[in-house]
Amino acid sequence: MPFNLRQDALKPERLTGGHRMCAGCGAPVTVRAILRALKPEDKAVICSATGCLEVSTFMYPYTAWNDSFIHSAFENAGATIAGVEAAYNAMKKTGKIPADTETKFIAFGGDGGTYDIGLQSLSGAMERGHDMVYVCYDNGAYMNTGIQRSSATPRFADTTTSPAGKVVPGKQQQRKDLTMVMAAHHLPYVAQTTFVSSKLGGFKDLHNKAEKAIYTKGACFLNVLAPCPRGWRYDTAKLVEMTTIAVETCVWPLYEIEDGKLTLTYIPKEKKPVEEYLKAQGRFRHIFKAGNEWMIEEIQKEVDAVWEDLLNRNETK
């Protein structure tokens, strides 16, 4: 059904308030929006890899989750939720669970637990085709343990393990394109999304893609930009500004891939220069110093190349 923010906001919260996530963090906003895409009558089993989300929402015996929740190790959230889904199906077949019940299986992991440490178990779960959704809340570094670089960290970003200095100007490698890595698993549904300003649709893109992923049979993957105020170094009140400018500069394109067909779900009327995204974050402050203009040019070239490729592959052009 069409997205209605007013109706969506009235749904019972599956991730409650009172957790310890930072102000201005994109992860809890992402989780709450995705779980609102569940039908109120459906049950869910939630798994979270070790990371900011897990340590801040669950400390035994206290939990912020209203659904069944499993804390997984850093490296095996994909395998954990896949195993629960397999056990559920087996119990249904043997009559231990009523056949008319509907339970969804959703795993959340940060980029460290998804792009890097958990990639092997995620790939296995996706390839086997378990009826599940894996959500990566991508904040671009290992934020929980001290802002170390990950393979999702953008090129030239300043982190504690890729510090910007006179010799090495931040992280040297381009970020991994995990959304396309997941698409290469021939999944029924893969999408890249985030929440944006109301002018660009607010939660509509994120909600619609979450709903598709949850109710598409088989293994589905969502990659969601979820900024971190400590790692990105922005004022906590500017969370939505961060995601919006990432989309308007095409640093974070919004698209979905259904059964191999790619569709861009937002094409800016006028693509903004990448400087507007970079200057809003303290982790890129060094690239605006005199003599470092080439870094901005390199980033713009990378963004333009990816965007051009997506435009060429877009099925709705």
Side-chain angles (χ1 to χ4, degrees):
M1 61 182 295
F3 174 69
N4 185 303
L5 179 60
R6 187 186 298 272
Q7 293 179 2
D8 203 49
L10 293 175
K11 290 182 178 179
E13 289 289 356
R14 292 174 182 256
L15 176 66
T16 66
H19 54 69
R20 297 176 296 123
M21 298 295 284
C22 297
C25 172
V29 180
T30 296
V31 172
R32 291 172 66 198
I34 288 172
L35 296 184
R36 285 199 193 105
L38 282 160
K39 297 174 184 176
E41 65 271 21
D42 288 347
K43 298 178 180 178
V45 176
I46 310 297
C47 176
S48 178
T50 296
C52 291
L53 180 64
E54 177 274 318
V55 301
S56 299
T57 60
F58 180 84
M59 181 178 287
Y60 184 82
Y62 305 105
T63 179
W65 302 89
N66 277 327
D67 289 293
S68 298
F69 178 78
I70 302 173
H71 165 214
S72 180
F74 224 146
E75 68 274 11
N76 63 349
T80 299
I81 201 69
V84 176
E85 183 265 353
Y88 170 81
N89 290 332
M91 293 176 77
K92 259 193 169 183
K93 288 179 181 178
T94 58
K96 294 181 179 179
I97 293 178
D100 60 350
T101 60
E102 188 67 38
T103 301
K104 297 300 181 181
F105 302 90
I106 306 172
F108 291 96
D111 51 281
T114 306
Y115 281 67
D116 299 343
I117 297 173
L119 183 60
Q120 183 178 11
S121 68
L122 170 61
S123 177
M126 295 289 103
E127 187 272 334
R128 291 190 299 271
H130 294 272
D131 191 9
M132 57 174 278
V133 180
Y134 190 103
V135 180
C136 176
Y137 61 96
D138 185 347
N139 53 32
Y142 289 84
M143 302 303 185
N144 179 52
T145 53
I147 317 176
Q148 296 90 356
R149 56 88 82 196
S150 75
S151 59
T153 305
R155 191 178 179 198
F156 302 126
D158 177 37
T159 75
T160 56
T161 52
S162 62
K166 294 181 179 179
V167 177
V168 180
K171 188 193 174 201
Q172 295 298 286
Q173 300 79 15
Q174 292 187 41
R175 62 181 298 277
K176 184 189 296 179
D177 192 346
L178 185 64
T179 309
M180 287 301 179
V181 172
M182 289 295 104
H185 286 67
H186 309 292
L187 306 178
Y189 189 75
V190 175
Q192 187 162 288
T193 182
T194 191
F195 49 90
V196 290
S197 68
S198 58
K199 183 181 70 173
L200 269 62
F203 286 95
K204 183 178 180 180
D205 193 82
L206 177 55
H207 175 92
N208 289 345
K209 289 172 179 175
E211 188 175 54
K212 278 188 181 181
I214 292 169
Y215 291 100
T216 294
K217 188 71 174 177
C220 299
F221 178 82
L222 294 175
N223 204 4
V224 187
L225 185 67
C228 169
R230 291 190 67 246
W232 290 30
R233 299 177 220 162
Y234 61 85
D235 183 79
T236 57
K238 295 184 177 181
L239 170 61
V240 176
E241 291 182 28
M242 295 300 105
T243 56
T244 301
I245 195 61
V247 170
E248 291 185 318
T249 56
C250 298
V251 168
W252 191 260
L254 303 183
Y255 65 92
E256 61 187 4
I257 302 174
E258 295 184 82
D259 296 318
K261 295 182 179 180
L262 188 150
T263 302
L264 286 164
T265 55
Y266 176 74
I267 300 176
K269 293 181 180 179
E270 184 178 349
K271 185 160 70 78
K272 293 185 177 180
V274 75
E275 286 100 322
E276 294 194 26
Y277 169 77
L278 300 172
K279 69 184 180 182
Q281 304 169 53
R283 62 177 176 166
F284 293 113
R285 183 173 55 190
H286 58 286
I287 71 175
F288 289 93
K289 293 180 179 179
N292 289 343
E293 295 83 1
W294 65 274
M295 297 183 210
I296 301 173
E297 294 171 4
E298 286 292 312
I299 295 171
Q300 187 68 67
K301 287 178 184 177
E302 292 166 9
V303 169
D304 290 346
V306 171
W307 181 243
E308 190 64 31
D309 179 61
L310 290 172
L311 286 173
N312 291 333
R313 297 176 59 184
N314 182 26
E315 291 282 341
T316 59
K317 58 188 175 182

